[in-house]
Amino acid sequence: MKQMNEGVKEPVEIVSPVPTFSCFTLCDNCVLKCRMCYKWQQDLYIKPERKQLGLEDWKRCAISLKKIAPENFVVNFGGGEVTTMPWLFDIVSFCHELGFKTNIATNGFLVDAALVCKMHASGLDYVNISLDSLNETTHDMLRGVKGVYKKVMQAIKLIHSHAPQTQISICSIMMEPSLEGIVQLVRWVQENPKVAMIYLMAIMQPNNTHADPLWYENKFNHLWPKDAVRAAEIIDEVIALKQKGYKIANRVEHLHAYKTYFFDPRAYVKKSACNIDCAVHISSVGDVFMCYRYAKIGDVREGDLENIWTNDLAAQVRVQIHECRENCHFLLNCNFDG
């Protein structure tokens, strides 16, 4: 389908791409009270009367996604905290049987022996566990609940022992309270045979808060690195370790983008157009997005995901995404490719 960009004489053809990323947002609730995420509060954008999708709804989504996804495509299950969902590993198992790779993101707080047994039986391929600091007090403070650090360490041991087919990764956010401990955390992952890799993320405006272009100077300035030069030095140390073969999932170009971002969060970090138009995000109530900054492209309760992905509205949103020059959580942290 051809779309005309404003100020461009020739029409630009935007072809529906093959998906490269997906996230099934199973829930919006969480058991923690993280300083960098407000998912534990009532969602600002989803009306309380809207009912969340159930297991059968998600199964239909998976069947439809299979029609447009490439081989070995990864279905990411996110939240909220996905381990609060009693049928979490039923949908994981269903997607595994369809031939998808599967991944969950968790804070680790509810991971116990019973849950890990279900994890193993489901065939889950990957689990990303949040760990921001090896300092127990710092991690618990950032996550808003005492005892989270110990639960994370227990979760790593349980999964490694009782669900050995599931690859464990650590996800850590670089922010003022955790920044000085990032290199230590990277070294710990390198020396820990239970953990496959670490993925570093940059602090963004907390989820489920009202948009504020100066959030890092206002309400959440305590999370923003106070010294950009020092932040760059730490990231350069991480880059040096990456080049030595350390288990760091981020590409070197990605880490350099974080340095640019910390010096000026308003400076667009990519040298090319955003590629979030290849992402399938389905909210807990069935709305389908590529990027949450733009209009939803459909509702899985009302239409088939395969048709939603190729509809006229999706084509229009792709044009907007290609023209976008805003840093955001999905571009910088989750889907950076440039």
Side-chain angles (χ1 to χ4, degrees):
M1 173 169 293
K2 292 185 177 181
Q3 297 289 330
M4 183 71 78
N5 292 342
E6 185 177 352
V8 179
K9 295 181 179 179
E10 294 298 323
V12 176
E13 187 171 7
I14 303 295
V15 179
S16 300
V18 174
T20 60
F21 179 85
S22 73
C23 183
F24 286 9
T25 304
L26 303 185
C27 62
D28 292 295
N29 58 296
C30 189
V31 292
L32 302 187
K33 295 186 177 182
C34 299
R35 302 291 183 92
M36 75 300 292
C37 178
Y38 281 65
K39 277 288 190 179
W40 46 276
Q41 293 187 345
Q42 175 62 47
D43 195 283
L44 293 174
Y45 304 104
I46 298 177
K47 295 179 180 179
E49 61 269 21
R50 292 195 69 187
K51 186 179 179 182
Q52 289 189 345
L53 299 182
L55 176 58
E56 295 306 315
D57 297 311
W58 287 114
K59 286 182 177 180
R60 286 192 294 273
C61 290
I63 291 170
S64 188
L65 179 61
K66 186 67 178 175
K67 298 174 185 177
I68 58 175
E71 291 296 315
N72 295 316
F73 188 73
V74 179
V75 177
N76 296 279
F77 299 97
E81 175 51 44
V82 292
T83 59
T84 62
M85 304 306 293
W87 40 259
L88 166 63
F89 292 109
D90 293 321
I91 187 60
V92 169
S93 179
F94 185 81
C95 288
H96 178 76
E97 291 170 3
L98 284 177
F100 288 114
K101 298 292 185 182
T102 52
N103 174 68
I104 68 169
T106 177
N107 57 45
F109 192 69
L110 299 179
V111 177
D112 57 16
L115 185 140
V116 172
C117 285
K118 294 179 181 178
M119 180 185 295
H120 178 60
S122 74
L124 181 71
D125 294 288
Y126 313 107
V127 57
N128 296 330
I129 302 178
S130 297
L131 178 62
D132 299 309
S133 176
L134 290 177
N135 182 301
E136 181 176 350
T137 301
T138 298
H139 183 71
D140 285 0
M141 177 274 294
L142 287 168
R143 295 292 161 172
V145 174
K146 189 174 182 180
V148 180
Y149 178 86
K150 286 186 171 65
K151 290 283 190 177
V152 167
M153 293 303 172
Q154 178 189 42
I156 292 170
K157 291 178 181 178
L158 284 171
I159 296 168
H160 178 73
S161 297
H162 302 294
Q165 90 287 348
T166 301
Q167 177 179 292
I168 302 171
S169 296
I170 296 299
C171 183
S172 184
I173 302 174
M174 294 185 290
M175 49 190 157
E176 177 62 25
S178 66
L179 198 57
E180 289 295 338
I182 288 295
V183 173
Q184 179 190 16
L185 186 55
V186 168
R187 292 185 181 278
W188 176 81
V189 168
Q190 181 66 21
E191 297 166 2
N192 191 331
K194 299 181 181 68
V195 179
M197 66 182 66
I198 183 170
Y199 188 81
L200 299 172
M201 303 176 77
I203 182 64
M204 302 293 296
Q205 179 173 342
N207 291 325
N208 199 30
T209 59
H210 291 289
D212 178 5
L214 295 177
W215 66 272
Y216 52 90
E217 294 179 355
N218 297 331
K219 181 178 179 181
F220 302 107
N221 67 342
H222 60 287
L223 299 175
W224 186 255
K226 292 181 171 54
D227 186 343
V229 173
R230 178 57 184 152
E233 291 173 348
I234 291 169
I235 294 171
D236 281 337
E237 288 186 62
V238 173
I239 290 172
L241 295 177
K242 169 74 174 181
Q243 292 171 333
K244 289 181 180 179
Y246 274 55
K247 298 184 291 187
I248 302 167
N250 309 72
R251 294 166 55 201
V252 170
E253 296 85 354
H254 193 183
L255 295 168
H256 279 300
Y258 286 157
K259 291 198 299 180
T260 300
Y261 171 69
F262 284 139
F263 274 107
D264 183 1
R266 293 164 296 185
Y268 190 61
V269 297
K270 285 183 65 110
K271 295 180 180 179
S272 57
C274 178
N275 57 319
I276 202 71
D277 64 316
C278 297
V280 181
H281 292 104
I282 306 177
S283 76
S284 64
V285 295
D287 294 331
V288 184
F289 297 85
M290 284 174 279
C291 176
Y292 285 105
R293 284 176 175 257
Y294 298 100
K296 71 177 185 180
I297 60 173
D299 184 335
V300 295
R301 296 184 193 271
E302 300 172 357
D304 183 86
L305 183 58
E306 180 184 14
N307 295 328
I308 292 171
W309 186 247
T310 57
N311 68 22
D312 287 345
L313 180 56
Q316 294 169 18
V317 170
R318 288 189 180 97
V319 172
Q320 295 173 323
I321 289 172
H322 279 230
E323 296 175 344
C324 181
R325 292 296 180 269
E326 295 289 335
N327 293 324
C328 71
H329 173 78
F330 288 111
L331 178 146
L332 192 64
N333 284 334
C334 297
N335 209 43
F336 184 87
D337 183 19

